[in-house]
Amino acid sequence: MADNGNAKPGSGGSGAYTINLENFSKRLKVFYDHWKEHNSDLWGFSDAIAIATPPPSEDLRYLKSSALDVWLLGYEFPETIIVFMHKQIHFLCSQKKANLIETLKKAANDAVGADIVLHVKAKNDDGVGLMDDIVRTVCAQSKSDDPVVGHIAKEAPEGKLLEAWADKLSGSSVQLTDITNGFSELFAVKGATEITCVKKAAYLTSSVMKNFVVPKLEKVIDEERKVTHSSLMDDTEKAILDSLKVKVKLKAENVDICYPPVFQSGGKFDLKPGASSNDDYLYYDSASVIICAIGFRYGNYCSNIARTFLIDDAPTQSKAYETLMKAHEAAIEALKPGNRMSVVYQAAVEVIKKNAPELLPNLTKSAGTGIGLEFRESGLNLNPKNDRLIKEGMVFNVSLGLHNLQAETKSEKTKQYSLLLADTCLVPLEILTAPCSKLVKDVAYSFNDEDEILPVTEVEVNAKEALPPTKKTLRSDNQEMSKEEIRRRHQAELACQKNEETARRLAGVGSGSGDGRGPSRSSNELVAYNNVNDVPYARKLVIQVDQKNEDVLLPIYGSMVPFHVSTVKSVTSHQDNRTCTIRIFFNVPGMPFSNDSNLKSQGAIYLKEITFRSKDPRHSSEVVQ
């Protein structure tokens, strides 16, 4: 069982556990104080509260009874009945569990003045006689002839023990009332221990998305592999067990999934929390959309993230995504203490109305829910009807989507698409899954000249003229090109040929006519700058050409990296109707015109090519020329 700060292995062997008495005392008092203060509005005027936890199950599910066990005791107590009264707390359970609960007697009495009473059920006993004792005690301690017992109405009894308990309560003189809202409010505000667990869960979740899922998708698409959504789901689940893959160091025994990871594409999308990954192949042709949602738990506390990836998106798709992103950000900003939960959804609606009112019918009916011990904390729904107040220490899964959108394409798998964004957020405003970007430049991909998928990376530029688009950048193969476009294409091809000849000449190998400038030099002998102080100062991270020193400076991971021009084999560029691509090929061992064919540096790692994308197409002309 995952440790959430309450329970830990004891010294009595691998099966022995101890409960953190300090946390138990503190939380028990919080529970009793809350019950007393809000008995009329949240706890149904209850004289006693009965919690029955069902047997273990292999199904992934979230129950208030299990959540209470974990919150109060540190881990689940399956097939256990707990009845809280003002002066006593009754436990009906096995001997093994009773031995552990025995240690809580003094702490419970000191914290709330209640005595713990144990009812130990023998292995072959149905427990009915013990249940009679508990019900009689409830009636005896109540001031009313018909005592009110609070229970979680939505949890149907499972197993013989819980079914017998349900029959016992319904057949007695007690009145039953639903106290689900009481527990929702009790769990809503997180303490320091709970927040630590949520943060670790969020860190793991965003790391898996950023360091495993995104590279995995890029590799699949780049290599044009056929991979099913369900196989991607399985690989992602396995990734959490390998800390090297996700670059996170957390105790494996405390980590679990919130739900099986969801991958969707090919026109079939389900934005509901219970969505699943089907056995269809991942679809990544032009104008396709890929949705991925993952959630992990640490110490039983949940976190969630969802991202949408756009492949060679059409203008209407990028506009819809940018609008959704703005609405999502507005919803997150509305998570302020004192605001009503309905305000969060309304903030998103206002953005849609202002930027793209035609998308309003496609907006999801909620902006997410509270998240913690349960993936969806009931009562904390961010919908337009929920007037509960947002409080400091609450954690929300802010999830917003646009479903059943129409794209102007002929393919059945791209005609209809959906978009989804989700982040785990702590009040006051802290986006716990922010390390995984949702910006357009980080989620939009486009085919380049050789049909490879490349992330759209913004490059600041300024130049005079842009090279024309090539045929492969056109969004429709049936689109006719004018004579002017054909002429410009031909000029671009001639320019590329000239660039390759220049690169070969500068590398010292000539073009076959013996006009090289001098003897060829190995990459071992090339020095761009003697030291870092010689590198020209760059105010902005943009591609620069140092003509004096015959060097090219490229922005890579936030730094300007110099390359001597002799290492450059060729440079190409092309543009579509929105962006322009600059692709640089380098001389490496084994390639034509390489000066290192003798592989003197067999242990070295070589950069073969690099691609940049710019929203200002004029930049490519200046860089290439």
Side-chain angles (χ1 to χ4, degrees), residues 189-338:
V189 178
K190 312 292 186 294
T193 302
E194 297 99 309
I195 289 176
T196 297
C197 289
V198 171
K199 285 186 174 182
K200 288 183 178 180
Y203 177 56
L204 172 64
T205 302
S206 57
S207 296
V208 170
M209 180 69 81
K210 179 180 180 180
N211 299 325
F212 179 79
V213 172
V214 173
K216 180 79 172 180
L217 290 176
E218 289 178 349
K219 184 176 181 180
V220 167
I221 299 173
D222 187 49
E223 297 176 358
E224 298 185 7
R225 292 165 50 193
K226 286 189 174 182
V227 179
T228 64
H229 300 128
S230 55
S231 65
L232 288 170
M233 173 194 73
D234 293 336
D235 292 343
T236 304
E237 280 193 35
K238 294 174 183 176
I240 67 170
L241 303 177
D242 189 344
S243 59
L244 295 179
K245 286 185 178 180
V246 297
K247 302 178 182 179
V248 173
K249 294 182 179 180
L250 292 174
K251 293 181 180 179
E253 63 270 21
N254 289 343
V255 174
D256 197 0
I257 62 171
C258 289
Y259 57 89
V262 177
F263 290 85
Q264 302 180 71
S265 67
K268 298 179 182 179
F269 299 98
D270 183 358
L271 304 187
K272 297 177 182 177
S276 59
S277 302
N278 60 32
D279 292 327
D280 294 347
Y281 288 116
L282 184 72
Y283 190 79
Y284 45 82
D285 281 0
S286 181
S288 61
V289 169
I290 300 172
I291 288 179
C292 177
I294 56 176
F296 293 113
R297 290 191 287 180
Y298 185 84
N300 291 294
Y301 283 87
C302 300
S303 174
N304 185 58
I305 189 173
R307 292 291 182 263
T308 298
F309 302 97
L310 309 174
I311 310 300
D312 199 17
D313 53 300
T316 54
Q317 291 176 314
S318 57
K319 178 185 177 183
Y321 181 86
E322 289 173 353
T323 302
L324 176 64
M325 185 176 66
K326 290 178 182 177
H328 191 246
E329 291 173 347
I332 292 175
E333 290 176 1
L335 287 174
K336 298 178 180 178

Side-chain angles (χ1 to χ4, degrees), residues 2 13 29 55 113 147 153 167 175 206 296 309 321 354 426 470 492 534 550 558 570 582:
K29 188 175 189 311
D167 291 340
Q175 299 182 42
S206 57
F296 293 113
F309 302 97
Y321 181 86
K354 179 180 179 181
L426 171 66
T470 65
D534 294 336
E550 294 186 344
S570 63
I582 303 168

Side-chain angles (χ1 to χ4, degrees), residues 106-127:
K106 185 178 186 303
N109 191 275
D110 291 343
V112 296
D115 295 323
I116 289 180
V117 181
L118 297 173
H119 304 266
V120 180
K121 185 182 80 67
K123 188 173 183 180
N124 297 321
D125 184 12
D126 59 8

